Amino acid sequence: KLAKKNEDAIGSILSGINTFLLVFAAIALVVGTFLIINTFSILVAQRSRELALLRAMGASRRQVNRAVIAEALAVGFIGSTVGIGLGYLLALGLKWLFGVIGLDIGSASFPLKVRTIVIAYAVGLVVTLIAAYLPARRASRIPPVAAMRDDVALPESSLRVRLIIGSILVVGGAALDGVALFRDISKPLVYLGIGTLAILVGVSLTAAVVGRPIVRAVGWVYKPVFGTVGVLATENSLRNPRRTAATASALMIGITLMSLMSVFGASLASSLDKSISSTLTAQLVVSNATGQGFSPTLAEKVRDVDGVGTVAEFRALDAKINGNDAFVGAADPAEIATALNIQVMAGAFAGLNDHTIFMDANAFKGGDYRLGQTVDLKLQGGTQPLKIAGTFAANSMPSSYLVTLNTLDKGAVAPQDYYLFIALAPGASESTVRAAIDKELAGVPTVTLKNQQEFIDEQRAQINIFLYIIYALLGLAIIIAIMGIVNTLALSVIERTREVGLLRAVGLSRRQLKRMVRLESVVIALLGTVLGLILGVTFGIAVQRALRDDGIDVLSIPWGQLAIFVVAAVIFGILAAALPARRASKLNVLNAITTE
């Protein structure tokens, strides 16, 4: 039974992790969709005369459409096959990595289930098919008479339709965000998430129009610095606004999410700093570096140290309150009151005893409780009826509920402290007392002693680790977006072979040609980054405002980190243009001029 219980607990944790990872997989697929759309749009445009000839020879619109779709399915099949293989190899690599860090799972089997293969192929093929549909549809609309022209252009729809649809999505998304921020609703983050998604899609659709001023602004910088080459790069970026916007939108999505997490992470850290600084009155804190509990005998040893005034033991565990999961803390009311500045919202803290319970304001409101109401606290030793004596502000306590130590004892809970909040005696030297406490803790290497600032830094470190994981996962989407820039520029160079030859013929040097392609790449990267930063900061502010009642009440915008994103975008743009620029510079001038 114990093994089954542990297996279910681990399965529940892994299920949450799987969902978390699948969210980032979906982001990568969305970014990849932009890449596929752009690739097929350019390929179909390059073969427009060939497709017109096929139409002149009797091919129907449906046949042309099917031909392009068939190519997309072939690409999707190959990409999915390679993706499944790489995914399995990465899983084996993680297996080895876990062994290196001490979590040996070498004996575990790594089955590649049929369900996994079927889902991977289905997702890969469907995404590729959807992404290639619009280019295929445009290709089928080429009239047969176009084959007799020297220049064949694909029919393009007006930007007005995209602008109207995108604007509607942006306005609708903003309205949902407004409801989440300014109306008292039960699940504001759901409305905020839907609204944010609508705005993101809307901006992607309108990027061909709203991004034009950004490209022009970059062009103003290019002209005095790079002269004619800078002007050419700007005009090339403006030549096909859909293509530039689609390529930039892929990068925009990644930058938006990274900027959002940067603002959210900075606000969370600042709120945590404020909360701990205003709540923690004890000078020293003892906790376990592994996040587990430790023996209460340590508290007795610390109490015997000269210079120690009060030691408040804090214990915590998962329990049930009225049948619902709850994270319950326990402490001696008199001792915890000397260690923490508890912001009581309702009731009186003196009312906390062995027959009562305190809640944070959010848990109290979410459970629709009332003062004096009796709730059932279920522990392993049985269920105890407790009256609600009052509420405290969010983040005033390390847990959402607070009971006495005796309440846990009556529930047959093994005594384990999670924190020791130590207040010094008047006139005691912190350094002297700290040295004495460290001697008492020397036999338990996982338990550490910290002052207030060190405790704050430890809590911030946990936030930073979480953010680093998020950045690493979003970095995959950024890499895909950079690949999209490389792909777009490479195909664009092939598409403009004759133009490149003519520019070389009228005096453009190889170096200037490389510089022109690099500047085009930087324009695309900056367009995606600027749009992403604007959206990301806006969404980050909205998330912070939506969660201010949950303790994230300080808005912090990490301008330095955001500036790094801009610098990184320029570097990525230069690197992305390396191969396309080299290819363009190696074109034979005469052969390029005679290319049809």
Side-chain angles (χ1 to χ4, degrees):
K1 289 181 179 178
L2 179 61
K4 182 65 170 63
K5 180 180 178 181
N6 290 339
E7 182 180 354
D8 291 342
I10 294 174
S12 176
I13 295 172
L14 291 180
S15 176
I17 294 175
N18 284 340
T19 302
F20 179 76
L21 293 176
L22 285 174
V23 169
F24 291 93
I27 294 170
L29 283 173
V30 171
V31 174
T33 301
F34 282 98
L35 172 57
I36 300 169
I37 291 175
N38 239 18
T39 299
F40 274 92
S41 296
I42 298 172
L43 290 176
V44 169
Q46 291 175 0
R47 293 162 49 200
S48 54
R49 189 172 188 182
E50 172 190 333
L51 296 174
L53 283 170
L54 290 174
R55 294 278 285 118
M57 292 170 61
S60 66
R61 292 180 60 175
R62 182 174 296 178
Q63 287 175 315
V64 172
N65 201 334
R66 286 177 180 173
V68 178
I69 291 297
E71 293 178 28
L73 290 176
V75 171
F77 179 81
I78 295 172
S80 299
T81 303
V82 175
I84 292 171
L86 289 176
Y88 190 75
L89 292 176
L90 285 173
L92 294 178
L94 288 175
K95 178 180 178 180
W96 169 84
L97 180 61
F98 274 42
V100 171
I101 63 177
L103 184 59
D104 187 7
I105 53 176
S107 60
S109 61
F110 271 62
L112 186 58
K113 297 181 180 179
V114 174
R115 181 186 66 181
T116 303
I117 296 175
V118 171
I119 292 175
Y121 273 116
V123 171
L125 293 175
V126 169
V127 167
T128 309
L129 184 64
I130 293 174
Y133 172 72
L134 291 178
R137 185 168 174 268
R138 286 203 301 270
S140 66
R141 292 165 59 188
I142 300 176
V145 70
M148 295 180 288
R149 297 173 52 189
D150 288 334
D151 56 329
V152 183
L154 286 178
E156 293 280 358
S157 59
S158 171
L159 289 176
R160 184 179 302 173
V161 176
R162 296 164 63 98
L163 184 61
I164 292 174
I165 296 175
S167 299
I168 292 174
L169 287 173
V170 170
V171 173
L176 287 175
D177 287 353
V179 170
L181 294 174
F182 303 111
R183 296 291 297 274
D184 188 13
I185 55 178
S186 59
K187 296 181 178 180
L189 288 181
V190 174
Y191 286 83
L192 191 64
I194 296 174
T196 297
L197 179 61
I199 293 174
L200 199 58
V201 174
V203 172
S204 297
L205 289 175
T206 60
V209 177
V210 300
R212 193 182 294 269
I214 297 175
V215 176
R216 288 290 186 192
V218 177
W220 292 337
V221 177
Y222 277 179
K223 186 173 181 179
V225 177
F226 301 105
T228 304
V229 174
V231 175
L232 286 172
T234 304
E235 294 302 322
N236 286 335
S237 300
L238 293 170
R239 177 189 298 183
N240 195 320
R242 287 180 181 82
R243 183 182 303 173
T244 301
T247 309
S249 293
L251 182 60
M252 178 192 74
I253 294 173
I255 295 296
T256 296
L257 297 175
M258 292 191 77
S259 303
L260 187 157
M261 291 308 303
S262 295
V263 174
F264 175 74
S267 299
L268 180 59
S270 298
S271 300
L272 184 65
D273 290 354
K274 175 189 173 185
S275 174
I276 295 177
S277 299
S278 60
T279 302
L280 184 61
T281 55
Q283 289 85 0
L284 299 172
V285 179
V286 173
S287 64
N288 196 327
T290 63
Q292 303 299 313
F294 50 89
S295 172
T297 58
L298 293 180
E300 299 303 322
K301 293 180 180 180
V302 172
R303 284 192 178 96
D304 293 337
V305 173
D306 291 338
V308 171
T310 319
V311 177
E313 300 175 67
F314 184 86
R315 300 172 185 172
L317 79 164
D318 293 316
K320 296 277 189 181
I321 293 182
N322 283 358
N324 299 316
D325 293 332
F327 186 61
V328 178
D332 180 275
E335 290 179 343
I336 199 69
T338 63
L340 300 178
N341 179 23
I342 302 170
Q343 303 174 44
V344 177
M345 307 296 290
F349 196 68
L352 179 62
N353 55 51
D354 297 346
H355 306 288
T356 60
I357 186 172
F358 254 68
M359 303 180 177
D360 78 21
N362 292 334
F364 183 80
K365 180 180 178 182
D368 198 22
Y369 296 119
R370 63 183 184 277
L371 290 180
Q373 178 181 345
T374 299
V375 297
D376 292 327
L377 173 65
K378 183 179 180 181
L379 301 173
Q380 61 191 40
T383 301
Q384 303 177 52
L386 301 173
K387 285 188 177 182
I388 301 175
T391 64
F392 51 83
N395 287 354
S396 290
M397 195 74 59
S399 62
S400 300
Y401 303 87
L402 184 66
V403 297
T404 64
L405 298 176
N406 288 335
T407 300
L408 294 193
D409 292 339
K410 288 191 293 184
V413 177
Q416 276 195 324
D417 293 333
Y418 275 76
Y419 293 110
L420 298 181
F421 297 109
I422 305 168
L424 302 182
S429 168
E430 180 178 321
S431 58
T432 303
V433 173
R434 181 167 185 170
I437 295 176
D438 279 330
K439 290 181 180 180
E440 297 295 336
L441 302 179
V444 190
T446 59
V447 174
T448 57
L449 177 66
K450 298 161 285 288
N451 59 26
Q452 288 189 5
Q453 186 57 50
E454 291 168 342
F455 183 65
I456 291 174
D457 293 340
E458 182 181 70
Q459 303 304 308
R460 287 180 66 108
Q462 297 176 11
I463 297 174
N464 291 335
I465 291 173
F466 171 73
L467 290 177
Y468 294 152
I469 294 173
I470 299 292
Y471 291 153
L473 293 171
L474 290 176
L476 297 176
I478 299 293
I479 291 173
I480 296 173
I482 299 302
M483 290 171 58
I485 297 176
V486 175
N487 203 47
T488 299
L489 289 175
L491 293 173
S492 179
V493 167
I494 298 173
E495 185 181 40
R496 292 151 47 192
T497 299
R498 178 188 286 184
E499 176 188 324
V500 170
L502 288 172
L503 287 173
R504 294 277 287 114
V506 298
L508 193 71
S509 67
R510 291 178 185 271
R511 179 176 296 180
Q512 289 175 315
L513 182 59
K514 287 183 179 180
R515 183 178 299 162
M516 183 185 75
V517 177
R518 283 197 295 267
L519 292 177
E520 289 180 40
S521 179
V522 171
V523 166
I524 296 173
L526 282 177
L527 175 59
T529 302
V530 171
L531 290 177
L533 288 177
I534 293 173
L535 291 176
V537 171
T538 302
F539 295 155
I541 294 174
V543 170
Q544 183 271 325
R545 295 301 183 195
L547 296 175
R548 60 185 180 275
D549 291 337
D550 294 319
I552 308 178
D553 54 353
V554 178
L555 174 63
S556 178
I557 300 177
W559 296 111
Q561 196 169 13
L562 299 179
I564 292 175
F565 290 165
V566 176
V567 175
V570 175
I571 295 173
F572 288 152
I574 294 173
L575 294 176
L579 290 178
R582 185 169 178 269
R583 181 189 180 100
S585 66
K586 284 192 169 186
L587 289 175
N588 182 281
V589 176
L590 294 179
N591 291 338
I593 293 174
T594 57
T595 298
E596 294 186 2

